[in-house]
Amino acid sequence: MTLLAFGINHKTAPVKIRERVAFCPEKLPEALQELSAHNGVSEAAILSTCNRTELYCGLDDSDPEAVLSWFRKFHGLDAKEVDPYIYTHPDRMAVRHMLRVASGLDSLVLGEPQILGQMKSAYSTAHDAGTIGRKLNRLFQHTFLVAKQVRTDTAIGASPVSVAFAAVSLSRQIYSDLSEHTALLIGAGETIELVARHLYENGIRQIVVANRTVEKAHALAAEFGGYAIALNEIPAHLAEADIVISSTGSQLPILGKGMVESAVKARKHRPVLMVDIAVPRDIEPEVGELDDIYLYTVDDLQEIIDEGLRSRQEAAQQAEEIIETQVAHFMGWMRSLQAVATIRSYRGRSEAMRDEVLEHAMRQLRAGHDTEEVITELARQLTNKLTHEPCVQMKQAGYEGRLELLDTARELFNLKIPEDNL
């Protein structure tokens, strides 16, 4: 069987193409059933995210082009529309590709962890649809273990590489235990949503979201067990916040020096971390002059992000080494399957010989023959039966000069032959 991984991703296709080949969750089981019923396809799984759509298949005799043809037909696309964006990876390349994807090495953000969860969901859906067989099942399980090893043995996901991640990493450096602190997030856009998610995952005690549109702030805050306020309510709540992170589109500062100074007094000078990731700035620069206020801007975070990228790139090199080793292990397992039929046949014949000799020995014992003589004869007969055919074949190989077969026999039976006998 041939393994095949193919599809498109953020590197090969623009979003207008990625949208057209995405599989919606409701239709995914149907698509899997249809694909696995395709002539020559024995196993199938589909991974479909906003950044990639990939199909992982086990093929018996089918030409990969036949599977690509099904893919085009399912989405109603001509070859010229989608083929320039498609990559195909057979066998060993397919294994390497899946390991790299699951480990975050092929992601838009190097080392991001979400893709592993998405791949596990793809496996679960295919398993429930009954389209996962022995080989893809083993490959997915191997993939999950390798991704875990990469996370454990390298720092691929440890360093911040986004503004939101960097802001939360800074919070963790200043407040080691976020479960004892409250965060005020100003704005309700994508960046603040990511900040809220990171804070929530790191155990923040309370999240307060302030936004011009309170309904939008409420929707975001509710997702993380927090509460929402309007921008004009910030002065009444600012003293509660140990962490303030702001990212709005305002053209004028939202937090001035006077407002923050009043909050510091109300807090009895307990320190506050403020991170302004807005352009133009949401927090007046003079706020940074106040005692007990630690103010960082987007430029300060950029240094953290650049260092994080360097750290992840170094970790990625280590991850690639792990993956190469694990690809070899999986391909070794695949090759070992080719020996299964031969091993089964050999064991079956050996067991038949054993049963024949054993039955003869049991008759001898029942007839009252000496036990020691019976056992000795059993061992002699079994040895002769097991070695007769291999010895005949090796003699014939020697006669015909097929020395490579003799070398194989020595390796197969782990024979140590003195050099003077060779």
Side-chain angles (χ1 to χ4, degrees):
M1 184 191 78
T2 300
L3 291 173
L4 177 69
F6 76 92
I8 67 171
N9 64 18
H10 58 281
K11 297 178 182 177
T12 68
V15 66
K16 65 179 181 180
I17 297 295
R18 301 202 303 272
E19 288 174 341
R20 297 184 66 184
V21 300
F23 290 85
C24 65
E26 295 77 16
K27 291 188 176 181
L28 203 49
E30 175 190 344
L32 285 164
Q33 295 284 354
E34 188 177 315
L35 175 58
S36 62
H38 198 277
N39 186 37
V41 179
S42 58
E43 304 179 42
I46 298 174
L47 172 66
S48 189
T49 73
C50 58
N51 283 330
R52 70 178 65 243
T53 292
E54 294 184 343
L55 283 71
Y56 311 123
C57 302
L59 307 182
D60 290 332
D61 304 313
S62 180
D63 184 342
E65 175 56 34
V67 184
L68 291 173
S69 178
W70 173 87
F71 178 67
R72 299 186 202 103
K73 183 179 178 181
F74 187 88
H75 292 292
L77 295 168
D78 295 329
K80 63 181 180 181
E81 293 180 280
V82 70
D83 282 14
Y85 307 104
I86 291 178
Y87 44 82
T88 58
H89 300 301
D91 297 320
R92 186 184 188 93
M93 292 174 61
V95 176
R96 180 187 294 109
H97 180 73
M98 283 185 65
L99 299 189
R100 295 187 78 255
V101 169
S103 300
L105 297 181
D106 196 53
S107 296
L108 182 62
V109 177
L110 181 64
E112 60 90 7
Q114 287 81 9
I115 187 63
L116 178 57
Q118 292 165 336
M119 186 165 275
K120 288 182 176 180
S121 295
Y123 166 77
S124 179
T125 300
H127 184 273
D128 291 345
T131 62
I132 290 284
R134 181 184 184 187
K135 296 178 180 68
L136 277 187
N137 182 69
R138 178 68 175 253
L139 178 53
F140 270 102
Q141 298 305 324
H142 189 69
T143 297
F144 301 151
L145 288 173
V146 173
K148 182 179 179 181
Q149 182 184 356
V150 167
R151 291 275 159 192
T152 302
D153 295 353
T154 76
I156 189 69
S159 304
V161 291
S162 69
V163 169
F165 192 2
V168 176
S169 296
L170 194 57
S171 302
R172 291 178 61 194
Q173 290 176 26
I174 293 176
Y175 302 112
S176 58
D177 186 2
L178 294 184
S179 67
E180 300 178 358
H181 299 282
T182 295
L184 169 64
L185 308 183
I186 304 175
E190 182 178 342
T191 299
I192 288 295
E193 181 180 352
L194 286 173
V195 168
R197 192 172 305 281
H198 287 313
L199 285 170
Y200 183 78
E201 290 172 352
N202 280 277
I204 193 74
R205 181 182 64 187
Q206 180 66 272
I207 291 177
V208 182
V209 181
N211 192 51
R212 196 175 307 279
T213 306
V214 180
E215 291 78 8
K216 191 173 181 181
H218 177 73
L220 176 59
E223 185 176 351
F224 303 105
Y227 66 91
I229 61 174
L231 292 182
N232 59 14
E233 295 180 90
I234 289 177
H237 294 268
L238 189 55
E240 303 169 19
D242 306 298
I243 301 165
V244 177
I245 301 176
S246 186
S247 178
T248 76
S250 175
Q251 296 300 305
L252 297 173
I254 291 174
L255 298 185
K257 184 178 180 181
M259 184 194 305
V260 175
E261 196 167 18
S262 298
V264 169
K265 290 179 181 177
R267 289 174 57 83
K268 301 187 184 328
H269 296 277
R270 285 182 290 121
V272 182
L273 168 65
M274 293 191 169
V275 184
D276 187 353
I277 49 183
V279 179
R281 286 179 284 187
D282 284 338
I283 304 174
E284 287 183 348
E286 292 77 13
V287 169
E289 300 171 2
L290 296 173
D291 292 337
D292 306 308
I293 294 294
Y294 299 90
L295 176 62
Y296 293 82
T297 68
V298 70
D299 289 340
D300 299 320
L301 295 186
Q302 190 59 50
E303 295 179 13
I304 299 174
I305 292 169
D306 291 343
E307 180 59 35
L309 281 171
R310 286 191 291 271
S311 175
R312 288 200 179 193
Q313 286 162 356
E314 291 173 3
Q317 294 177 358
Q318 299 171 352
E320 296 284 9
E321 294 173 4
I322 292 173
I323 285 171
E324 283 305 310
T325 300
Q326 294 298 336
V327 168
H329 286 173
F330 186 83
M331 295 309 296
W333 177 80
M334 286 284 289
R335 289 190 296 271
S336 74
L337 296 180
Q338 300 173 12
V340 170
T342 302
I343 293 171
R344 188 179 293 120
S345 177
Y346 176 68
R347 289 185 63 88
R349 191 177 72 169
S350 299
E351 288 168 357
M353 293 177 182
R354 175 204 64 197
D355 293 344
E356 181 184 345
V357 173
L358 182 60
E359 176 58 29
H360 176 74
M362 295 298 289
R363 287 199 302 269
Q364 295 289 87
L365 289 172
R366 285 193 291 268
H369 289 249
D370 181 73
T371 302
E372 186 173 339
E373 291 180 0
V374 171
I375 293 175
T376 300
E377 179 62 15
L378 180 150
R380 186 189 66 78
Q381 287 188 13
L382 185 58
T383 300
N384 287 342
K385 284 181 175 292
L386 289 174
T387 60
H388 174 71
E389 188 62 31
C391 287
V392 169
Q393 294 295 333
M394 284 188 281
K395 284 181 180 179
Q396 185 65 26
Y399 177 81
E400 296 174 356
R402 296 161 59 200
L403 302 182
E404 73 282 354
L405 183 58
L406 296 178
D407 289 338
T408 300
R410 282 192 286 269
E411 181 179 352
L412 185 63
F413 297 114
N414 194 24
L415 302 177
K416 308 299 182 188
I417 302 176
E419 291 186 6
D420 56 356
N421 289 342
L422 293 176

